[in-house]
Amino acid sequence: MDLLFTKRLGSLVPTDEASETALSKIKHGDIVRVKGLVRPRNPQHHRLYWAMLNMVCGNTDEFDDAEQLHFMLKVAVGHVRPFLSVKGVFYEPLPTDFASMGQTEFSAYYDKCIKVICKRVIPGMDDEALKAEVLEMMG
């Protein structure tokens, strides 16, 4: 089970009952091992990404839909797992869903995607201009 905490004044404070219960079982001064810190994905950032893909698809004939652009972007930014076959190296795009990618990783992925879109899909489009246009579209 994942536990959720909020950082306050240099400490982690439980944000829900399950996290509070787990923390109450640890004695003051005990050392615990934490296996990685992952910031949960921001749903608004996720919606912004898909809005951007739909907007780009609406302004180019290069892709049939946002899913096709999403697939291309994963490959273009290197969000893939290479595997070797007798015919050479192939690349399997990795998932970008909430369970597979925390906010820190998604932010880096999003920024790389913007660069690819501005360089390869809509050459000449400025990164900041694209971000601003998507934000304006989202309201």
Side-chain angles (χ1 to χ4, degrees):
M1 169 172 58
D2 289 338
L3 304 175
L4 299 174
F5 294 84
T6 302
K7 184 177 178 184
R8 289 198 188 123
L9 301 174
S11 299
L12 295 177
V13 179
T15 59
D16 59 16
E17 191 174 321
S19 301
E20 178 72 45
T21 300
L23 187 60
S24 71
K25 295 177 182 177
I26 300 169
K27 294 177 189 161
H28 184 72
D30 280 355
I31 295 174
V32 297
R33 180 172 65 95
V34 177
K35 188 177 180 180
L37 293 175
V38 178
R39 287 183 8 209
R41 179 92 144 267
N42 179 339
Q44 183 63 22
H45 199 187
H46 179 80
R47 285 190 291 275
L48 190 69
Y49 173 75
W50 283 100
M52 176 180 66
L53 297 189
N54 282 301
M55 184 185 79
V56 169
C57 286
N59 288 290
T60 181
D61 294 331
E62 192 172 343
F63 303 97
D64 295 334
D65 56 30
E67 283 290 338
Q68 190 181 49
L69 175 57
H70 176 58
F71 183 89
M72 183 282 290
L73 288 170
K74 289 194 285 186
V75 173
V77 303
H79 191 65
V80 295
R81 178 182 65 91
F83 61 92
L84 185 62
S85 82
V86 294
K87 296 196 178 213
V89 178
F90 292 89
Y91 298 92
E92 173 188 22
L94 296 170
T96 59
D97 60 359
F98 282 71
S100 302
M101 208 182 243
Q103 184 57 41
T104 302
E105 295 85 5
F106 187 75
S107 289
Y109 170 77
Y110 180 83
D111 290 342
K112 289 177 188 175
C113 289
I114 286 182
K115 291 191 183 312
V116 169
I117 288 169
C118 292
K119 184 175 182 177
R120 297 185 193 174
V121 181
I122 309 172
M125 173 64 101
D126 177 68
D127 295 12
E128 294 305 317
L130 176 59
K131 288 178 186 178
E133 195 169 327
V134 174
L135 283 173
E136 183 180 321
M137 181 186 74
M138 296 268 307

